[in-house]
């Protein structure tokens, strides 16, 4: 069904665009992953872009939900929604391309928010075609400034081309968006001629391909129509090459709209095949789809992956690199740094400038995006510790992610990792703190860390399932609010041929109980039943501190009160952690139990474990106690009774 078009760029348009961009990237994710060869051939650009936009969508939806909860007649403003989009993308940015996309969205939001706050009273604030042109221009410029050494033939080139094309368009937002999309599509098709590693691999830039998908969603937002190439995942990418004195551009689509010799544009996508000397589209070697499909598409709408054919007689491609950094060509032929380091950073602007200089000396692929005291830092280095230490000197780094590319990863050479045999069964679990992550990992589980206020998205869970590399996976969400997210991740993994069983654990202590009875040698169904039974037999509780005044099942709590939650509901409101923990534990054991599990957070009093163990030992016969350190898990104390 066609999308109802938005006339102006207002809050609803931001929401619509984010949702459509997420859907579009979801469809294109695997294709984009498959063509990811620069700056590192790690096959995750599509997934990183998807996770980045998913975080933006979550933030935008939270703004709309907040306004709906207040039951006000007015919805969120353009400024509020645009800022939420940018903030969500910033805190959720993954990988090199995801970080750059976050800066592009931030650049757009700054212009849109200014347009939104400039209009006071009367109608809802909105931006017109001129505002969208300015937003796209500022986005491209700010993204370029965020990259330490911009390289042409990448997403930066595509973003610049989109902005250039938009600035030359007159009309409403739909006209400007379509011009930007067409400009980006043509620039994408030219990327193999600008970056040798892309030409050798026979693909376009993966990050640029993702940006074209996002811009296609922008077109759909304002016109109600999905661009033809995006709807079919594009049939071909047209590239210009020189063959002696001739220049040929061919399109697999043939038919109406096919490119002819000398046409500088071309549909986007990684499926282009260039055949020197043939400009009429009758090229031999241009693959048709199955059963003679003249459009070159398979039945499910996918286009066949095509390559840029190498030929000794070819002259250098048109569109030589502009301003390419000196080390980019060398990067195509040698291995790069061993680690990717990403973290959020709270720091002042002056400290960030010094940080850029230090990280630039440590490695490459440096991208620092953000502002107003919050930054997302991405860099490839050999010394991951030094990159983190640089962040500590600059401010407060958190959500630190360090990925080792591994000996099997070849940087920008297009070589594939040696295949790794799949395990028969694995457990994937969401855990609230570093201590529990270590415990689960020691027990053989693949973990996803959920920090306070930062629940994992479905794409992150899917990534963890893939990382487990098993034919069968047991998924433990360990949080009642993650049930739907985990179900979506399980469904996605099943479409990839992985057998997934979701056990609806609502607390990490239920997950511990399930993991304790896990036996990979059993039949899958039997193992799942046993783990589900163990989790279901475990009552769970937590002791935490109230952040604000609120109504609860136990009455009204004030900020700073100590809350005791049993099976998800507030049962005790107190003023002392130790006393509240005692009351909660007594209530849980009143119904019986054989084992008490205590998971201590960093804020737990130093003597609480010893005190509660003694209370169990003295007051309850034949009940054992086990204590774990959870680290920064949000709650002061987690309690399980089974």
């Amino acid at each position: 069904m066609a999308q109802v078009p938005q006339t102006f760029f207002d809050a609803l348009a931001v929401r619509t665009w984010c949702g459509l961009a997420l859907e579009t990237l979801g469809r294109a994710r695997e294709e984009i992953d498959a063509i990811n060869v620069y700056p590192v051939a790690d096959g995750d650009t599509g997934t990183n872009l998807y996770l980045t936009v998913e975080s933006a969508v979550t933030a935008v939806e939270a703004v709309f939900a907040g306004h709906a909860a207040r039951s006000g007649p007015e919805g969120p403003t353009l400024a509020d929604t645009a800022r939420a989009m940018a903030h969500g993308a910033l805190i959720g940015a993954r990988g090199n391309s995801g970080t750059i996309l976050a800066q592009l969205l931030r650049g757009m939001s700054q212009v849109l928010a200014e347009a939104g706050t400039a209009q006071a009273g009367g109608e809802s604030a909105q931006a017109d075609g001129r505002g969208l042109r300015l937003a796209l221009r500022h986005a491209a410029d700010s993204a370029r400034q965020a990259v330490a050494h911009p390289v042409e033939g990448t997403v930066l080139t595509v973003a610049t081309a989109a902005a250039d094309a938009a600035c030359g368009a007159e009309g409403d937002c739909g006209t400007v968006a379509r011009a930007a999309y067409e400009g980006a599509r043509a620039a994408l098709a030219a990327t193999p001629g600008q970056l040798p590693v892309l030409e050798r691999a026979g693909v376009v830039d993966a990050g640029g391909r993702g940006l074209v998908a996002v811009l296609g969603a922008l077109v759909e937002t304002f016109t109600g129509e999905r661009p033809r190439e995006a709807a079919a995942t594009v049939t071909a990418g047209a590239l210009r090459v020189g063959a002696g004195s001739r220049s040929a551009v061919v399109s697999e689509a043939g038919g109406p709209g096919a490119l002819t010799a000398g046409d500088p544009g071309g549909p986007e996508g990684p499926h282009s095949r260039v055949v020197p000397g043939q400009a009429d589209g009758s090229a031999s070697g241009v693959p048709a789809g199955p059963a003679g499909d003249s459009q070159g598409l398979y039945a499910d709408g996918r286009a066949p992956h095509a390559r840029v054919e190498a030929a000794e007689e070819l002259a250098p491609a048109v569109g030589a690199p502009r301003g390419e950094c000196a080390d980019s060509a060398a990067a195509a032929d040698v291995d790069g740094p061993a680690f990717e380091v990403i973290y959020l950073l709270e720091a002042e602007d002056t400290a960030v400038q010094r940080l850029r200089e230090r990280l630039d000396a440590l490695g490459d692929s440096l991208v620092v995006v953000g502002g107003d005291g919050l930054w997302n830092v991405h860099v490839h280095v050999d010394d991951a510790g030094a990159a983190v230490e640089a962040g500590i000197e600059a401010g407060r780094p958190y959500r630190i992610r360090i990925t080792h590319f591994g000996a099997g990863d070849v940087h920008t050479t297009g070589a594939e990792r040696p295949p790794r045999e799949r395990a028969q069964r694995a457990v994937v679990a969401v855990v609230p703190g570093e201590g529990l992550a270590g415990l689960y990992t020691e027990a053989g589980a693949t973990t996803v860390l959920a920090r306070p206020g930062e629940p994992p998205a479905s794409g992150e869970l899917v990534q963890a399932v893939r990382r487990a590399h098993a034919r069968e996976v047991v998924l433990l969400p360990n949080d009642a609010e993650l049930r739907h997210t985990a179900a979506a991740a399980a469904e996605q993994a099943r479409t990839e041929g992985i057998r997934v069983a979701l056990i609806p654990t609502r607390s990490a202590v239920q997950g511990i109980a399930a993991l304790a009875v896990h036996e990979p040698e059993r039949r899958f169904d039997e193992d799942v039943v046993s783990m589900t039974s163990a989790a279901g037999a475990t009552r769970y509780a937590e002791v935490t501190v109230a952040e604000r005044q609120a109504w609860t099942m136990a009455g009204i709590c004030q900020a700073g009160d100590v809350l005791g939650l049993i099976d998800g509901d507030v049962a005790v409101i107190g003023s002392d952690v130790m006393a509240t923990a005692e009351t909660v534990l007594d209530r849980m054991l009143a119904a019986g139990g054989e084992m008490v599990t205590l998971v201590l957070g960093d804020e737990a009093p130093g003597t609480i474990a010893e005190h509660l163990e003694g209370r169990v030992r003295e007051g309850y016969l034949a009940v054992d106690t086990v204590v774990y350190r959870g680290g920064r898990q949000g709650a002061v104390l987690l309690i399980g009774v089974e």
Side-chain angles (χ1 to χ4, degrees), residues 9 108 127-136 173 176-177 218 222:
F9 217 138
M108 289 190 69
D128 55 11
R130 177 179 177 276
L132 180 54
R133 289 198 300 271
L134 293 174
L136 290 168
C173 287
V176 174
L218 188 64
F222 291 114

Side-chain angles (χ1 to χ4, degrees), residues 65-303:
H67 277 264
R70 289 193 289 270
S71 301
E74 299 292 334
T77 65
L78 172 60
D80 289 342
T81 314
R83 291 189 184 111
M85 172 186 70
H87 180 74
L90 178 67
I91 65 174
R94 303 298 181 90
N96 192 68
S97 294
T99 307
I100 293 174
L101 177 61
Q103 185 67 6
L104 288 167
L105 295 180
R106 176 180 171 80
M108 289 190 69
S109 75
Q110 290 173 327
V111 175
L112 296 175
E114 186 176 322
T117 55
Q119 301 183 25
E123 299 180 358
S124 299
Q126 57 194 20
D128 55 11
R130 177 179 177 276
L132 180 54
R133 289 198 300 271
L134 293 174
L136 290 168
R137 176 81 278 159
H138 185 61
D141 292 345
S142 61
R144 224 168 242 282
Q145 292 168 5
V147 178
H149 300 286
V151 175
E152 299 305 330
T154 66
V155 62
L156 295 176
T157 305
V158 176
T160 298
D164 290 344
C167 289
E170 296 292 337
D172 59 13
C173 287
T175 302
V176 174
R178 191 175 292 279
Y181 173 78
E182 296 296 342
R185 190 186 66 172
L188 179 71
T191 55
Q194 296 173 294
L195 208 52
V197 63
L198 300 178
E199 187 172 16
R200 283 196 297 273
V203 297
V204 295
D205 179 66
R209 171 66 181 90
L211 179 58
V212 168
V214 171
L215 291 173
L218 188 64
V219 173
E220 187 174 358
T221 299
F222 291 114
T223 67
E225 299 176 358
R226 184 183 300 169
R228 177 177 60 87
E229 293 79 11
T233 322
V234 299
T235 58
L239 303 176
R240 181 189 295 271
V241 297
S245 61
R246 294 181 297 169
S247 178
V249 182
V250 298
S251 168
E252 290 176 19
L259 297 173
T260 57
D263 188 342
E268 116 270 27
H271 309 301
S272 58
R273 179 184 296 269
V274 176
V275 182
Q278 292 186 313
D280 60 358
S282 61
S284 60
V286 176
D293 182 358
S294 63
Q295 296 300 310
L297 290 173
Y298 294 109
D300 62 358
R302 291 181 297 111

Side-chain angles (χ1 to χ4, degrees), residues 594-616:
E594 299 176 354
M595 171 73 75
V596 172
T597 300
L598 304 175
V599 183
L600 309 181
D602 284 345
E603 296 79 17
T607 60
I608 191 170
E610 181 180 352
H611 181 81
L612 295 178
E613 281 185 290
R615 189 174 186 84
V616 171

Side-chain angles (χ1 to χ4, degrees), residues 340-359:
E340 177 185 58
V341 178
I342 304 175
Y343 50 80
L344 292 179
L345 177 70
E346 294 178 356
E348 299 297 327
D349 291 5
T350 53
V352 170
Q353 181 55 41
R354 293 193 297 271
L355 174 66
R356 289 178 192 269
E357 296 172 358
R358 180 167 178 184
L359 292 180

Side-chain angles (χ1 to χ4, degrees), residues 205-555:
D205 179 66
R209 171 66 181 90
L211 179 58
V212 168
V214 171
L215 291 173
L218 188 64
V219 173
E220 187 174 358
T221 299
F222 291 114
T223 67
E225 299 176 358
R226 184 183 300 169
R228 177 177 60 87
E229 293 79 11
T233 322
V234 299
T235 58
L239 303 176
R240 181 189 295 271
V241 297
S245 61
R246 294 181 297 169
S247 178
V249 182
V250 298
S251 168
E252 290 176 19
L259 297 173
T260 57
D263 188 342
E268 116 270 27
H271 309 301
S272 58
R273 179 184 296 269
V274 176
V275 182
Q278 292 186 313
D280 60 358
S282 61
S284 60
V286 176
D293 182 358
S294 63
Q295 296 300 310
L297 290 173
Y298 294 109
D300 62 358
R302 291 181 297 111
H305 284 276
R307 311 282 293 180
V308 178
E309 303 288 20
E312 292 182 1
E313 68 273 21
L314 290 182
V318 173
R322 293 180 294 122
E324 182 174 330
C325 61
D327 59 355
S328 64
D333 298 306
V334 298
D335 287 355
F339 297 96
E340 177 185 58
V341 178
I342 304 175
Y343 50 80
L344 292 179
L345 177 70
E346 294 178 356
E348 299 297 327
D349 291 5
T350 53
V352 170
Q353 181 55 41
R354 293 193 297 271
L355 174 66
R356 289 178 192 269
E357 296 172 358
R358 180 167 178 184
L359 292 180
D360 192 25
L362 286 174
D364 58 30
S365 297
L366 173 60
V367 186
V368 181
V369 304
D372 302 321
L374 180 62
W375 308 82
N376 191 305
V377 179
H378 170 281
V379 67
H380 294 173
V381 294
D382 281 320
D383 189 344
V388 175
E389 288 172 4
I392 294 173
E393 290 182 8
R396 187 179 79 88
Y398 61 103
R399 290 189 67 175
I400 301 169
R401 299 186 185 92
I402 299 175
T403 303
H404 183 244
F405 292 124
D409 289 340
V410 180
H411 294 243
T412 69
T413 64
E416 298 181 355
R417 301 181 184 91
R420 179 164 60 97
E421 185 176 353
R422 285 185 178 274
Q424 181 60 35
R425 190 174 309 158
V427 176
V428 173
V430 180
V431 291
E434 294 88 347
L436 282 178
L439 173 67
Y440 273 75
T441 300
E442 287 178 9
T446 298
T447 61
V448 178
L449 191 59
R451 295 177 175 85
E454 301 173 4
S458 61
E460 195 168 357
L461 298 186
V462 173
Q463 273 193 314
V465 171
R466 295 190 189 111
R467 195 167 67 246
H469 204 64
R471 299 179 181 88
E472 302 166 340
V473 171
V474 180
L475 182 57
L476 306 175
N478 291 341
D479 188 333
E481 295 184 0
L482 286 178
R483 180 167 59 90
H484 295 298
T485 300
E491 188 62 31
Q492 172 63 34
R494 291 182 189 117
T495 66
E496 300 176 9
I498 304 171
R499 189 180 184 187
V500 181
L502 171 61
I503 298 178
T505 50
R506 294 175 289 175
S507 171
V509 291
Q510 288 188 321
I512 291 172
L515 198 56
V517 300
H518 169 54
E519 293 185 13
E521 295 77 17
R522 279 193 299 222
R523 290 179 57 247
F524 185 65
D525 292 339
E526 293 177 356
D527 197 29
V528 171
V529 169
S530 177
M531 295 176 71
T532 302
S533 177
T538 303
R539 300 188 67 198
Y540 65 97
E542 67 176 83
V543 176
T544 188
V545 177
E547 296 181 353
R548 57 185 177 275
Q549 184 186 63
W551 288 90
T552 75
M553 297 288 290

